[in-house]
Amino acid sequence: MMNNKAQNVFFHRMFPVVALQYQGILQLLLHFSWMWIGLISQDDDSSERFVQNVLPMFAERGICFDFIERFPKLTFSAQFSEMVDEGSEVISVVLGSTANVVVIDGEVHAIMAMRMMPALAEIEGIQVQFKAKVWIMTAQMDFTSFSFQRDQDINLLHGALSFAIHSRDLLAFQKFLQRRNPITEKEDGFIRVFWEEAFICSFPQRHLDEKHGEPCTGKEKLETLPGSIFEMSMTAHSYSIYNALYAVAHALHSIHSSKHRAMIDGEKWEILYQEPWQLHHLLRGASFNNGAGEEFSFDQNGELADGFDIINWVTFPNQSFLRVKVGTMHPQITPDNRFNIHDCVIVWPSTFNEAQPLSVCNENCHVGYRRAKKEGRPFCCYDCLPCPEGKISNKKDMDDCFECPGDQYPNNEQDGCLPKQITFLSYGEYLGVILATFALLFAFITVFVFWIFVKNKETPIVKANNRSLTYALLVSLILSFLCALLFIGRPLKVTCLLRQTAFGMIFSVAVSCILAKTATVVLAFMATKPGSRMRKWVGKRLSNSIVLSCSLIQATICTVWVATSPPFLHFDIHSMAEEIVLECNEGSHVMFYCVLGFMGFLAFVSLTVAFLARKLPDSFNEAKFITFSMLVFCSVWLSFVPTYLSTKGKYMVAVEIFSILSSSLGLLACIFLPKCYAILLRPELNSKVQLVRRKN
């Protein structure tokens, strides 16, 4: 019916799509995370295509090869020694590899070559157990052996995995085998040869030799043979041949049914005879149920629309073995569900203590580490480096570490994130308590000084220093100490609006009072000169004008600030590694520094005027104290800016509070401490006579 070429093409069609097998092997490797493997193939064109197809596909998914070797060609000619040498080299490479998984692509006789490897290893003195690998075999391979391999151990296949054309066992096939008898089937010469090899016996008509010393009776049972010699069940290859014949039978039946039988034999023979291409057309469209009840059909490309079974090989000491179906790879299911395997039923090689083996170039990088490629090694070989500070890795074998979300921070192991705690300068911590205590203490001292001046308001020292400015300065100092309390405690929307604006206004009033005092001292001295026109400027009018105008300018700046870009409540998640800082954002840094700049301008003018007035007569010596107080004030706030910018979180607030307290204390101590000393401890100096004497 079909020539040899047509037969080869047809039987090739009875094999599922090869690409599906490649995908199945890939899915199997990925499922068990076997990323470091070896590959052995036959030395022929088919295996060359396999390597060309598999390498890029596997590499794309992160799998790399420790070695790619080829089976030596089996020969018993004069080149046998060369075959042994080549086989020894392959064995050395395979057994010296750190890959625990080896993919084997071969044909039916490939297992013969595999079974020869332990013997070659023993000849070469390689003391390594061959069963220390998990073999993954393609569906083209099947268990066969030479006669001299009858007693060789098959334990190297224990735990192996192989792909096989989907098949089902046929009970009728086993009954068929049990009925085979070489005595009654004398016309079948093959069965007699097989019988003698399998049972080590000879039939009477054949020459008896030492190997087949016992006569064959025909009563020997095939089912008593170990699986390494003969399998009673139908293998996947046999199942494919069975279905191929079934398909041909259905095609012939279709041809027969479509024609009317002729009455004469010659015409009938003419109708039944068909060209091979006519039969192929019917085969491509064939769809039938075989004897096992399974439906078979071909796809639009004429390929068998069937998948693969995944087989686990389990061997026993009596040289028998089982092929246990542990999974499938089916083409007619969605890509995500094509691959299916049952891990729990797989038997692994005993070398791995019956546990799933690992096959990686090096140990997995643990959480908290990242992968770094090793120079000169395949891409799946890498070093494990700790994550840099501030980053984590929460999975094994991560290529890069990553940062935690803004409201979290890495734990000590850098394998997870912890929630950041909200923090601010509170009254519940030592720093907050200390600053609040000093603020209240200094405010109380200022109140005490104010009480002293009020009680002694009629004394010459108090009168000589412009009582209204003195009182205004003392009140502003009291408020400046108290405004520091706005910076302590949980920030609120109201406190954020009041903090900087109140601080700016209060300090502007204080510095403007000092400027008014200094200007008054200078003008008072100039007014004492004969014919001076400055006398009309001396008095409360000038001092009040200076204080009000300076305060009004600062109030305008603060009003523009609040109206355009007011301070607001802000959660700063970036400044501190392990904390979220609840703070008041200035809103506009330009306006904030405008407030500071105007205060600095007033302080600089006051310092300049006081410095120029430092050599006035002793009765006007307050200019010396003002000069020193302004030096302290300017020093504090000049050092504040770089310190403020270099600190983070709640410590920025602490720096500003410290600057407020220290500058206010400097003004209080430098200006009022000498006067309090004279009023309380040297009352004799607080007299008009003494002032007149010092003046003269």
Side-chain angles (χ1 to χ4, degrees), residues 532-549:
S532 175
R533 298 180 180 180
M534 295 296 178
R535 292 183 179 181
K536 61 181 180 179
W537 294 100
V538 178
K540 294 183 178 180
R541 182 180 178 183
L542 174 64
S543 59
N544 292 340
S545 299
I546 293 175
V547 173
L548 289 175
S549 60

Side-chain angles (χ1 to χ4, degrees), residues 236-453:
H237 284 231
S238 299
Y239 193 68
S240 296
I241 297 173
Y242 171 79
N243 287 319
L245 296 175
Y246 231 96
V248 172
H250 273 269
L252 292 173
H253 179 72
S254 298
I255 294 174
H256 182 75
S257 300
S258 64
K259 302 289 184 177
H260 294 288
R261 286 191 181 183
M263 296 303 295
I264 54 177
D265 292 340
E267 188 179 358
K268 179 180 180 181
W269 173 259
E270 221 175 302
I271 294 173
L272 289 179
Y273 181 81
Q274 299 290 326
E275 293 294 332
W277 63 267
Q278 293 176 305
L279 189 59
H280 276 184
H281 174 71
L282 293 172
L283 288 172
R284 289 172 64 93
S287 178
F288 59 91
N289 290 331
N290 65 10
E294 287 193 313
E295 182 179 355
F296 273 80
S297 61
F298 299 89
D299 60 18
Q300 64 272 17
N301 298 320
E303 302 283 354
L304 181 63
D306 204 359
F308 294 92
D309 294 333
I310 302 173
I311 304 299
N312 182 212
W313 294 62
V314 182
T315 64
F316 301 97
N318 64 353
Q319 298 297 85
S320 62
F321 63 89
L322 289 178
R323 305 181 199 228
V324 181
K325 180 180 174 181
V326 295
T328 57
M329 185 69 183
H330 205 285
Q332 296 179 343
I333 305 178
T334 57
D336 293 338
N337 298 319
R338 284 179 181 175
F339 179 80
N340 181 38
I341 193 166
H342 304 286
D343 303 13
C344 57
V345 299
I346 297 177
V347 176
W348 300 109
S350 55
T351 308
F352 301 106
N353 297 321
E354 303 296 335
Q356 177 191 324
L358 296 176
S359 189
V360 291
C361 182
N362 45 259
E363 289 189 6
N364 294 330
C365 289
H366 298 292
V367 291
Y369 290 79
R370 64 178 179 87
R371 300 195 300 188
K373 187 181 183 303
K374 288 183 178 180
E375 292 297 329
R377 296 283 286 162
F379 63 86
C380 59
C381 298
Y382 45 81
D383 292 316
C384 297
L385 302 180
C387 288
E389 185 177 357
K391 293 187 176 183
I392 69 162
S393 63
N394 55 4
K395 295 180 181 178
K396 291 183 177 181
D397 285 339
M398 292 193 68
D399 292 323
D400 292 301
C401 302
F402 60 92
E403 294 181 350
C404 291
D407 58 347
Q408 299 177 13
Y409 69 96
N411 58 13
N412 293 333
E413 293 76 20
Q414 292 184 280
D415 59 359
C417 296
L418 300 175
K420 290 183 178 181
Q421 300 296 322
I422 297 178
T423 183
F424 50 86
L425 186 61
S426 68
Y427 292 103
E429 56 184 302
Y430 289 120
L431 182 60
V433 171
I434 292 172
L435 292 175
T437 301
F438 277 111
L440 293 174
L441 176 62
F442 296 154
F444 176 77
I445 293 173
T446 309
V447 170
F448 179 68
V449 172
F450 184 77
W451 176 78
I452 292 174
F453 272 72

Side-chain angles (χ1 to χ4, degrees), residues 431-553:
L431 182 60
V433 171
I434 292 172
L435 292 175
T437 301
F438 277 111
L440 293 174
L441 176 62
F442 296 154
F444 176 77
I445 293 173
T446 309
V447 170
F448 179 68
V449 172
F450 184 77
W451 176 78
I452 292 174
F453 272 72
V454 171
K455 185 177 180 180
N456 298 277
K457 62 182 178 179
E458 301 299 333
T459 60
I461 289 181
V462 176
K463 288 182 177 180
N465 287 281
N466 196 328
R467 283 182 298 184
S468 59
L469 286 179
T470 299
Y471 294 159
L473 177 58
L474 286 171
V475 171
S476 63
L477 289 177
I478 293 172
L479 294 176
S480 68
F481 286 126
L482 294 177
C483 84
L485 299 177
L486 292 173
F487 293 81
I488 306 174
R490 187 180 184 92
L492 301 172
K493 185 176 181 180
V494 175
T495 56
C496 286
L497 289 172
L498 291 177
R499 276 185 181 183
Q500 306 294 0
T501 53
F503 151 71
M505 285 298 304
I506 292 169
F507 262 78
S508 295
V509 171
V511 178
S512 61
C513 287
I514 294 173
L515 177 59
K517 273 178 167 289
T518 308
T520 301
V521 170
V522 174
L523 291 175
F525 174 73
M526 295 176 65
T528 59
K529 295 181 180 180
S532 175
R533 298 180 180 180
M534 295 296 178
R535 292 183 179 181
K536 61 181 180 179
W537 294 100
V538 178
K540 294 183 178 180
R541 182 180 178 183
L542 174 64
S543 59
N544 292 340
S545 299
I546 293 175
V547 173
L548 289 175
S549 60
C550 292
S551 300
L552 181 61
I553 293 174

